[in-house]
Amino acid sequence: LFSWKHAAPRPGMSSSQAAAIAANSAEGGRGFRRGGSRDEDGEPGGSRQVAELMQLTTDESAFILGKGGKTKHKIAKVSGAQLELHEHNNTIEIVGTDAERHRARKYIDLVKAQRIGPVNVDERHDDGDLTILIVPNTCVGFVTGTQGNFLRACEEEWGTLMFFCDYHGPTGEGGAAEKLAIFGGIRGRTGAELKVMAAIETKLPGHFTKSLPDEQTCETEWGRDSISLTNEELSFALGKDGSTRKKLAKASGCILEYVGNTAFMAGPTATRRRGREYLGWLLRQRVGTVYVDIEGRDDVCAVDIPGGMDAVASVFKSMTLRTLEQETGTFCFLEGNASKSDRLLIFSHDKKGREKAKSLAEERINNKIQAQEDSYWGAQGWGDSWNGQGGSWDYEYGQGYQGQQGYQQGYQKGYQKHQGQHYHDESKAVDTSEVTDTFSLRGDISVHVVIQTGPDGQEPVIEEVERATGTKLTVMREKGTIHISGPADKVSLAKRQLQSFIDRFVTCRIQLPPPITAALANKVSHYIRPMPWVASAEVDEAKDTLKIQGHQDSVDQTFKVLREVYKDHGLELNDADIITTKKAEDHHHTHSSHFHQARIAGKPGSADIIRVSEEEAAFILGRGGKTKHKIARVSGAILELHERSNIVEIFGEEVERKKARKYIDLIRAQRVGPVNVDETHDDGDLTMIYVPQSCVGFVTGSQGNFLRTCEEEWGTLMFFCDFYSPDSHHGTKSNTKQERLAIFGELEGRYGAELKVMAAIETKMPGHFTGQLGDTHSTDEWGTDTIPLSTDQLSYALGKRGSTRKKLARASRCIVEYVGSVAFLAGSLQARRRGREYLGWLCDQVCSKSGRISVDAETRNDVTLVPVRKDCIGYVMGDKRKTLSRLEEDWSVLIFFVDVPEYPPDVEGLAIFGEERGRCGAELKVMGAVETKVPLYFTKDVADRHVRTEWGVDTQPLTNDELSFALGKDGATRRKLARASCCILEYVGNIAYMAGSFDERCRARDYLSWLLGQRHGPVTVKLEGRTDIIVVEIPPPMRGMVKAAMLRDVERETGTFCFFQGDHSTTSQLLVCGAEVEDRTHAQHLLQDYLVRGVSRPSKAQHAAPAPRSKKQQAKSWGRKGGYYGGKQRGAPETSEEESEKPQPRRRSPGGGVPPPRRRRQDYASSDSESASHSDSESDDSQSDDDEDRPQRRSRPPPRDPRSSRDANRPPPTTAGKPPPPRRQWASEGSGSGSDEEIVPYWQGGGSKI
């Protein structure tokens, strides 16, 4: 067979075979056929499979094969022939019918021609498989895509062969535009053509659809229909990533593509008719219900829904139907009202797909009915969840408890269930007394709504609540209240149900077109106002607005009346004209996060509600919720996206909500095409920057990463848009050679993002912004200064990865950005002045040999001078200045040594520039470093001092034991107190320095005294007048669950300080201390969750010691550590009591033997008070200074590196006859930073941390 395929005359061949081979060679290797069957006339069989060979060059062979064989497979797919490429002799075998082989040869010739230049295509290449599409020159790159990806994707999707060519039609006319040739079957060519048309329409809106009618129907068997869509309809019909469009196309069997705002449907007549119907039904679902007459249709299956089944909409919610459609290739929806529908309609041209979808739907219905029957009685016993009104939730039993008594009952019951005890709720038999309570309606809701029949025929709320709760409700019209009589638990249930009904009332404001204002006023009087559950409806003819207050279901019904009025006047009601508002405080119970509730409660005003489509909801949410958080950050509002109901709720001030609505509308517009931005969008939060077209991709970055980084850094919203300036004429763009980049946000953020983009453009096009720019100095209160820099100055002022530039910006509080070789300083006048001085000092150091400057600290209010002895300079700076750089980053300051003539010769002046708080924190850090090196250098005569000024520094001396206890392992306790009090707390030697405002220093002093008081016994705090403490009541049976380790976890996560009031064995009050109310509330709810759910940290037994080691391993440990394992070295600073009491692993004695194991401590089994006291657990609170910015450390330490362990644990060098010097340990770890780990003596380099 190989000889036959790769033929050459060989011995043994027949004469006819040899003659055929010779004839093939004479024809240039073009016409050899295998299995050459012929018909009666001797011509090749037209429908028979015949093989032929084509001879290629080596380069042609590689080009036709393509990357991974893709080009060869593409030719085979389009032509229908089978191709086999033999690279060893550069031949390609083509197997197929005459027509298939003819097409394959033609396509191979065209692909070969692409190697050497433009491909010439004319009418001779058209065998009924060619479509030519004219592409404007400005869109060629957009249609081609990166490395031709867009065309390749079209070829893959539609089975076509596509390339640009020099096409000359029958008239021989070329033209300025490019010609795109599309080869393939008629269906594939049509689909690929519409795909390219959609891409061109995105780049040039109106290019294909400008003159199209609203609806066009083709009369031929194969053709195209078109329907014009509005922006909202297009967004709804497109779906997320085009999923809805693909669904309709697959179900109908036609080609469906959206070119601009026009839907094109291509295919046979029957498929186009189905596509139009499916699309029409889909769009009608946006505004109302859909009913279909299925009699006589062959593309539908109906699934009947039993009348007794509850929650039909929940059974077939949108996500369930979308999954069903995706699995079966169908189009499904509930007929009529989704909540009360009696059948599910399944449409598709494929009968198998319909049958499969019907089977899956019936299975789901049967499962729901079975679940209803099985869980009926169990469902009756479940109560409501946490109601946010001082009650608690029993997670074990699923019952709600009210007030303080319920709090105790819920905790005790959950605890006893957790312990495996059976709990008998005796309170049920006790709380049966009849009570009367009052429920007050909101001021904007009239009483008549609670006695009206619902819009869908529901019973009045009064009757429904009475029947469900067994209580008696009496309406007091004059007072606007409802009296409720019955058992106490039933009355509480009735109040919750009434509150749930009231929470659904909203206020809807609609901006009306002036022509229909008068007509709507009549409709409102006669139709809308009398509707059930509508509290009020008024038309303001002066402002052309309609205001409706009522239940959400009723407000939805009013929209039907409004749309009819709009339709009668030839208008359409846009969602952008509707603003729905609800009371912010009524929304708290819907949020699961108590911490988030506090944030919403802190936002005054109301809540706006925006209804969006499912695809828009996904687009607004963004990947990982980033887009939603970005909109919230820029607008200042709080956004809640409810994906089930596709509703966005906006909380905040009126200005914040207005900005959020605007940004959401702009984000929604990005889904369907270019965003149009004009001067009406500028509310003082818009900056436009023009970007040259050659820099658009560079500014955007890979997958938009550069713009996203700018948004994240500066808190802005950025996107390219079609901006129309006020002087633009007839909607033409103000500058067609540049793209417009819109930047929304606050002034400082917009300035920073704009300079960032300018720097990127300047990198791509040097001199674009700075060609004629010199040294400028603005006198405006807010403005921009520029300073040209030399190459050396720019490199020095930039720093490694821009670190020096960022340092200057943080210290001066102005925006610093280098655009080319020009430094831009933006901000207030004072901030720019500081930035100019700081930058000048840095640039002066480039030319100064000593690198020192002189600063007059007496005349400046932004500098602090710290005297540093010369023998401590290396210790303070650290290896390669890493320590000072870390201090600059932590405290947002600028630090360098300066010449101070007043200082002694052995002292240098360290200047710290920046804001007062940052300077104070960095100063105390440096003082702690020098004090460690030179004891009593700063604290020799420092006593207990309490300053009464608003800003100041207090001091409090500590003993060695108190210092060790207040420091904690790796400074964890100090950081905790500093964070909880919002005060700067540093230990310089044995002196505690507290810096900040008067209130902050008082809190820090109190917290420190309470902490130290716990060393000697219980601490009792006077709670009267204190606003920084929350008392959490712990039921007696659950005190044992409040472990010290649990409290340390809560403190770390929330930034609070927690301990028991008085003796732990008798008290039930746990104090949560902190300056921020959000932190205290967060800690309170974490503690409640820990207790109710029975969640506790692993016991100490679970953190067992390592497995017994061999003698060889022990010897290695002894040699590596230089002492017994875990032992305390001579000269080391005193450890806290909790560290000394930790159980130690077995140790090796100095004599070389292994001592007997230590006696197990008896106090492990002591009372819970000892396990929960501070003195027992501060060591568990240990984290390194860097850990606050890192993920939670695992309980099991990572494997040790022998080299790092050896270096870190080796004792300092000793001299003969002298004990080793004390190990240097910092007493001034940074508040929330890791600065101290970088402060190392210069002789140790950067490898060993203190």
Side-chain angles (χ1 to χ4, degrees):
L1 178 62
F2 181 85
S3 302
W4 185 261
K5 290 168 61 178
H6 311 291
R10 297 175 181 273
M13 281 190 178
S14 64
S15 58
S16 60
Q17 292 175 347
I21 293 174
N24 177 57
S25 300
E27 294 178 3
R30 180 71 182 258
F32 181 75
R33 294 182 175 86
R34 173 164 55 89
S37 302
R38 298 175 177 269
D39 56 18
E40 294 178 356
D41 297 329
E43 296 297 325
S47 60
R48 297 172 181 171
Q49 296 290 322
V50 180
E52 64 179 59
L53 290 177
M54 286 184 65
Q55 189 66 45
L56 307 171
T57 65
T58 302
D59 294 338
E60 290 173 345
S61 176
F63 198 72
I64 289 176
L65 180 63
K67 185 178 180 180
K70 289 184 178 180
T71 306
K72 185 194 75 170
H73 292 307
K74 177 171 59 178
I75 296 173
K77 183 178 180 180
V78 179
S79 64
Q82 301 177 25
L83 302 182
E84 187 172 350
L85 182 64
H86 306 287
E87 297 181 73
H88 66 282
N89 60 0
N90 296 324
T91 59
I92 184 169
E93 180 181 8
I94 308 172
V95 180
T97 63
D98 289 348
E100 294 170 346
R101 297 197 314 276
H102 173 72
R103 287 195 297 268
R105 291 195 301 270
K106 177 175 67 175
Y107 300 157
I108 291 173
D109 290 339
L110 291 171
V111 172
K112 289 164 58 179
Q114 293 182 48
R115 287 187 57 251
I116 55 178
V119 182
N120 296 320
V121 179
D122 53 29
E123 69 277 4
R124 292 175 299 175
H125 292 87
D126 188 4
D127 300 318
D129 60 345
L130 172 63
T131 295
I132 296 292
L133 181 62
I134 306 300
V135 180
N137 285 328
T138 57
C139 300
V140 171
F142 189 69
V143 168
T144 305
T146 305
Q147 298 181 349
N149 285 339
F150 181 77
L151 289 185
R152 301 296 82 79
C154 291
E155 290 176 334
E156 184 69 22
E157 180 180 357
W158 291 105
T160 57
L161 180 66
M162 306 170 65
F163 51 83
F164 284 96
C165 62
D166 291 333
Y167 175 79
H168 301 287
T171 60
E173 298 177 355
E178 296 286 343
K179 288 85 175 177
L180 179 64
I182 307 174
F183 287 93
I186 184 173
R187 183 179 181 87
R189 297 200 316 272
T190 304
E193 180 184 8
L194 291 175
K195 205 78 174 177
V196 175
M197 288 171 60
I200 296 173
E201 190 75 12
T202 301
K203 189 71 173 176
L204 297 175
H207 183 75
F208 291 106
T209 61
K210 185 177 182 180
S211 58
L212 284 178
D214 291 342
E215 188 169 353
Q216 188 175 16
T217 304
C218 181
E219 301 297 335
T220 59
E221 176 59 26
W222 177 277
R224 300 181 190 175
D225 298 347
S226 63
I227 300 175
S228 180
L229 306 175
T230 65
N231 288 337
E232 292 77 9
E233 291 174 339
L234 176 61
S235 175
F236 191 74
L238 182 62
K240 183 180 180 181
D241 298 328
S243 58
T244 305
R245 176 191 62 79
K246 297 173 184 176
K247 170 184 70 179
L248 296 180
K250 189 173 182 180
S252 63
C254 78
I255 302 169
L256 177 60
E257 194 66 56
Y258 303 139
V259 180
N261 278 44
T262 302
F264 281 82
M265 287 149 287
T269 303
T271 61
R272 299 201 309 273
R273 183 178 64 252
R274 282 195 297 267
R276 287 197 307 271
E277 291 174 340
Y278 296 174
L279 180 59
W281 297 336
L282 177 75
L283 297 179
R284 283 164 54 189
Q285 293 179 37
R286 288 184 58 248
V287 296
T289 56
V290 179
Y291 293 91
V292 180
D293 183 8
I294 63 175
E295 186 175 354
R297 298 188 66 98
D298 59 354
D299 62 337
V300 61
C301 282
V303 179
D304 294 329
I305 299 175
M309 190 173 70
D310 298 333
V312 176
S314 65
V315 178
F316 294 107
K317 53 188 178 182
S318 58
M319 293 302 295
T320 303
L321 289 182
R322 301 300 82 80
T323 303
L324 185 67
E325 291 170 338
Q326 188 176 5
E327 290 181 3
T328 60
T330 57
F331 172 43
C332 310
F333 58 88
L334 292 168
E335 188 177 38
N337 190 340
S339 61
K340 299 181 179 181
S341 178
D342 57 358
R343 65 176 178 178
L344 173 70
L345 300 182
I346 304 172
F347 291 90
S348 176
H349 73 286
D350 182 16
K351 183 177 180 181
K352 291 184 178 179
R354 296 196 308 269
E355 294 295 337
K356 182 179 179 182
K358 181 178 180 180
S359 175
L360 293 175
E362 290 175 343
E363 180 182 356
R364 188 167 185 83
I365 291 174
N366 293 334
N367 292 340
K368 176 63 177 178
I369 294 175
Q370 184 65 35
Q372 281 186 208
E373 296 174 353
D374 293 343
S375 63
Y376 175 76
W377 293 108
Q380 305 302 312
W382 285 89
D384 295 332
S385 61
W386 185 288
N387 57 23
Q389 299 177 355
S392 65
W393 175 253
D394 179 1
Y395 286 86
E396 300 289 347
Y397 281 76
Q399 294 178 333
Y401 294 90
Q402 300 294 319
Q404 182 63 28
Q405 180 184 0
Y407 181 95
Q408 299 275 353
Q409 293 174 357
Y411 272 5
Q412 292 177 15
K413 189 171 179 181
Y415 173 76
Q416 294 183 12
K417 174 69 175 180
H418 179 72
Q419 299 296 330
Q421 301 172 7
H422 185 67
Y423 181 83
H424 298 279
D425 190 357
E426 300 176 357
S427 63
K428 292 183 178 179
V430 175
D431 194 11
T432 58
S433 58
E434 293 285 331
V435 297
T436 301
D437 204 346
T438 301
F439 180 85
S440 299
L441 296 175
R442 274 179 9 205
D444 57 345
I445 299 177
S446 56
V447 177
H448 72 274
V449 297
V450 298
I451 59 176
Q452 285 181 326
T453 303
D456 295 328
Q458 301 98 321
E459 293 183 1
V461 177
I462 290 290
E463 298 179 7
E464 185 176 350
V465 173
E466 285 182 338
R467 187 186 71 253
T469 61
T471 56
K472 177 63 177 178
L473 275 64
T474 305
V475 178
M476 310 299 292
R477 290 179 176 270
E478 297 79 7
K479 298 181 180 180
T481 59
I482 302 174
H483 285 188
I484 311 172
S485 301
D489 56 340
K490 300 297 184 182
V491 170
S492 298
L493 179 60
K495 292 180 67 175
R496 287 197 298 270
Q497 292 189 5
L498 288 173
Q499 186 62 49
S500 177
F501 172 75
I502 297 301
D503 286 345
R504 294 275 293 165
F505 274 72
V506 298
T507 300
C508 186
R509 291 179 176 85
I510 305 170
Q511 188 65 43
L512 305 175
I516 69 170
T517 302
L520 261 181
N522 184 43
K523 286 281 187 181
V524 167
S525 304
H526 294 82
Y527 294 97
I528 295 180
R529 198 174 297 152
M531 292 180 66
W533 294 357
V534 172
S536 64
E538 299 293 339
V539 175
D540 189 343
E541 299 188 19
K543 298 181 180 179
D544 293 324
T545 58
L546 169 62
K547 178 181 177 182
I548 304 174
Q549 289 181 310
H551 195 274
Q552 184 66 65
D553 296 342
S554 297
V555 173
D556 293 341
Q557 295 285 346
T558 61
F559 289 154
K560 297 181 180 180
V561 179
L562 297 178
R563 287 190 172 90
E564 291 179 0
V565 177
Y566 272 75
K567 187 176 181 181
D568 294 341
H569 289 76
L571 301 173
E572 184 178 359
L573 178 60
N574 296 322
D575 293 338
D577 296 332
I578 304 173
I579 300 176
T580 306
T581 308
K582 67 184 296 186
K583 294 291 183 181
E585 61 270 17
D586 296 335
H587 184 72
H588 297 172
H589 69 282
T590 63
H591 295 275
S592 59
S593 173
H594 303 288
F595 177 68
H596 195 66
Q597 292 176 17
R599 293 182 57 221
I600 294 177
K603 287 287 184 180
S606 301
D608 291 352
I609 299 176
I610 299 179
R611 294 181 177 275
V612 296
S613 65
E614 184 177 344
E615 293 75 20
E616 288 174 339
F619 199 71
I620 292 172
L621 181 63
R623 179 178 296 179
K626 289 184 178 179
T627 306
K628 186 194 76 169
H629 293 308
K630 178 171 60 179
I631 296 174
R633 182 178 65 246
V634 179
S635 64
I638 294 177
L639 270 63
E640 279 297 312
L641 179 60
H642 304 281
E643 296 183 77
R644 288 189 176 182
S645 55
N646 296 328
I647 287 177
V648 181
E649 289 188 281
I650 309 171
F651 300 88
E653 298 283 359
E654 177 62 31
V655 176
E656 296 171 342
R657 301 201 309 272
K658 181 180 178 181
K659 288 182 181 180
R661 292 195 302 268
K662 177 176 66 175
Y663 300 154
I664 289 174
D665 291 339
L666 293 171
I667 293 293
R668 293 165 68 184
Q670 292 184 49
R671 286 191 60 250
V672 296
V675 183
N676 295 324
V677 179
D678 54 29
E679 69 278 6
T680 61
H681 291 88
D682 188 3
D683 299 318
D685 60 345
L686 171 62
T687 295
M688 298 297 300
I689 180 172
Y690 291 88
V691 180
Q693 289 183 348
S694 59
C695 300
V696 171
F698 188 72
V699 169
T700 305
S702 175
Q703 298 180 351
N705 284 337
F706 180 77
L707 289 185
R708 300 295 82 78
T709 302
C710 291
E711 290 177 333
E712 185 70 23
E713 179 179 356
W714 291 105
T716 56
L717 181 65
M718 306 170 65
F719 50 83
F720 285 95
C721 62
D722 290 334
F723 176 77
Y724 297 100
S725 60
D727 56 351
S728 299
H729 300 288
H730 306 292
T732 59
K733 295 181 183 180
S734 57
N735 191 343
T736 57
K737 296 182 180 180
Q738 302 184 82
E739 297 287 342
R740 288 85 178 171
L741 179 64
I743 307 175
F744 288 92
E746 297 297 329
L747 181 62
E748 182 177 359
R750 300 201 311 273
Y751 262 83
E754 180 183 11
L755 290 176
K756 206 80 173 175
V757 173
M758 289 171 59
I761 297 174
E762 190 76 11
T763 302
K764 188 74 172 178
M765 300 178 62
H768 182 76
F769 292 105
T770 62
Q772 304 296 329
L773 199 59
D775 194 332
T776 63
H777 187 9
S778 174
T779 58
D780 298 334
E781 178 57 30
W782 180 278
T784 305
D785 297 350
T786 58
I787 305 174
L789 303 176
S790 65
T791 304
D792 293 341
Q793 290 174 336
L794 176 63
S795 176
Y796 189 75
L798 181 61
K800 185 178 180 181
R801 298 180 181 177
S803 59
T804 306
R805 178 190 63 79
K806 297 175 184 176
K807 174 176 63 180
L808 288 175
R810 288 193 299 266
S812 63
R813 290 294 190 263
C814 79
I815 302 169
V816 180
E817 194 65 56
Y818 303 137
V819 181
S821 60
V822 177
F824 281 72
L825 309 176
S828 65
L829 186 61
Q830 183 180 6
R832 298 199 310 274
R833 186 182 297 116
R834 287 198 301 263
R836 181 181 286 270
E837 289 177 338
Y838 298 168
L839 181 60
W841 292 337
L842 284 179
C843 294
D844 291 343
Q845 294 183 27
V846 178
C847 305
S848 176
K849 294 183 180 179
S850 63
R852 300 289 175 86
I853 62 173
S854 297
V855 177
D856 187 3
E858 299 294 334
T859 61
R860 303 183 63 93
N861 62 356
D862 64 335
V863 63
T864 298
L865 291 179
V866 182
V868 179
R869 284 181 38 166
K870 287 187 176 180
D871 56 351
C872 298
I873 290 179
Y875 191 67
V876 170
M877 292 184 63
D879 181 48
K880 298 181 181 179
R881 203 181 180 277
K882 287 182 179 179
T883 300
L884 289 186
S885 298
R886 187 62 181 270
L887 286 178
E888 290 173 330
E889 181 180 352
D890 291 343
W891 293 102
S892 298
V893 292
L894 179 66
I895 306 176
F896 50 83
F897 284 93
V898 297
D899 290 331
V900 184
E902 296 81 6
Y903 285 174
D906 62 339
V907 176
E908 293 285 349
L910 185 66
I912 305 175
F913 295 89
E915 297 293 329
E916 186 173 23
R917 189 178 188 89
R919 298 200 315 270
C920 188
E923 177 188 11
L924 292 176
K925 262 322 206 184
V926 175
M927 290 171 58
V930 177
E931 189 77 12
T932 302
K933 184 72 173 175
V934 184
L936 302 180
Y937 185 75
F938 289 106
T939 62
K940 183 176 181 180
D941 297 321
V942 177
D944 194 339
R945 183 182 62 178
H946 193 8
V947 183
R948 298 294 178 180
T949 58
E950 177 57 29
W951 173 271
V953 180
D954 294 353
T955 58
Q956 180 178 342
L958 304 175
T959 65
N960 289 336
D961 293 341
E962 290 175 338
L963 175 63
S964 177
F965 188 77
L967 179 64
K969 186 174 181 181
D970 295 327
T973 306
R974 181 196 58 78
R975 289 196 306 272
K976 172 181 67 179
L977 296 181
R979 183 180 174 189
S981 62
C982 290
C983 177
I984 301 172
L985 177 61
E986 290 291 340
Y987 302 142
V988 181
N990 279 41
I991 305 297
Y993 282 77
M994 291 158 281
S997 66
F998 183 77
D999 292 339
E1000 293 171 349
R1001 301 196 310 273
C1002 289
R1003 279 195 299 267
R1005 184 178 288 270
D1006 290 342
Y1007 295 172
L1008 182 58
S1009 63
W1010 297 341
L1011 176 73
L1012 297 178
Q1014 295 177 34
R1015 298 178 61 246
H1016 307 291
V1019 175
T1020 303
V1021 178
K1022 294 183 179 180
L1023 302 178
E1024 295 181 2
R1026 299 203 67 99
T1027 61
D1028 60 335
I1029 296 178
I1030 287 181
V1031 179
V1032 179
E1033 295 289 340
I1034 306 297
M1038 309 192 75
R1039 290 176 193 154
M1041 299 180 64
V1042 185
K1043 302 294 185 182
M1046 177 199 296
L1047 294 182
R1048 303 295 83 78
D1049 288 342
V1050 173
E1051 289 173 338
R1052 274 195 298 267
E1053 185 171 350
T1054 62
T1056 56
F1057 173 39
C1058 305
F1059 60 93
F1060 275 96
Q1061 168 87 303
D1063 188 358
H1064 176 268
S1065 60
T1066 59
T1067 183
S1068 61
Q1069 290 185 339
L1070 178 67
L1071 304 186
V1072 179
C1073 308
E1076 300 294 336
V1077 62
E1078 293 181 354
D1079 294 339
R1080 299 196 303 269
T1081 305
H1082 191 194
Q1084 179 187 18
H1085 293 304
L1086 280 181
L1087 288 168
Q1088 290 171 349
D1089 289 342
Y1090 271 128
L1091 296 176
V1092 175
R1093 298 177 183 175
V1095 178
S1096 60
R1097 284 171 54 95
S1099 63
K1100 292 186 178 181
Q1102 291 177 280
H1103 297 293
R1109 299 175 297 169
S1110 64
K1111 293 183 179 181
K1112 184 177 181 180
Q1113 290 174 329
Q1114 293 175 353
K1116 288 183 178 180
S1117 175
W1118 168 258
R1120 178 170 66 247
K1121 297 183 179 294
Y1124 59 83
Y1125 181 70
K1128 179 179 175 182
Q1129 299 179 5
R1130 281 193 304 165
E1134 293 186 15
T1135 58
S1136 58
E1137 293 184 11
E1138 66 274 14
E1139 289 179 347
S1140 62
E1141 292 183 4
K1142 285 183 64 177
Q1144 303 293 345
R1146 297 183 66 184
R1147 65 189 188 280
R1148 180 174 291 275
S1149 64
V1154 179
R1158 282 187 176 184
R1159 180 180 299 173
R1160 184 181 303 273
R1161 292 188 58 88
Q1162 299 299 323
D1163 56 359
Y1164 270 20
S1166 61
S1167 65
D1168 293 329
S1169 61
E1170 293 182 359
S1171 65
S1173 66
H1174 240 43
S1175 60
D1176 265 354
S1177 60
E1178 289 299 338
S1179 60
D1180 292 338
D1181 194 18
S1182 61
Q1183 274 190 332
S1184 66
D1185 286 342
D1186 289 337
D1187 283 348
E1188 289 197 354
D1189 299 327
R1190 296 179 184 173
Q1192 183 83 15
R1193 179 179 294 177
R1194 286 178 161 183
S1195 59
R1196 185 174 182 177
R1200 297 178 180 266
D1201 184 355
R1203 295 173 296 175
S1204 62
S1205 177
R1206 180 174 62 252
D1207 295 338
N1209 294 278
R1210 177 183 295 159
T1214 61
T1215 58
K1218 294 183 179 181
R1223 180 172 61 88
R1224 288 177 298 275
Q1225 179 176 358
W1226 280 78
S1228 57
E1229 286 78 1
S1231 178
S1233 70
S1235 305
D1236 295 339
E1237 292 196 358
E1238 301 295 344
I1239 300 183
V1240 297
Y1242 59 87
W1243 62 82
Q1244 285 189 359
S1248 177
K1249 298 184 179 181
I1250 300 300

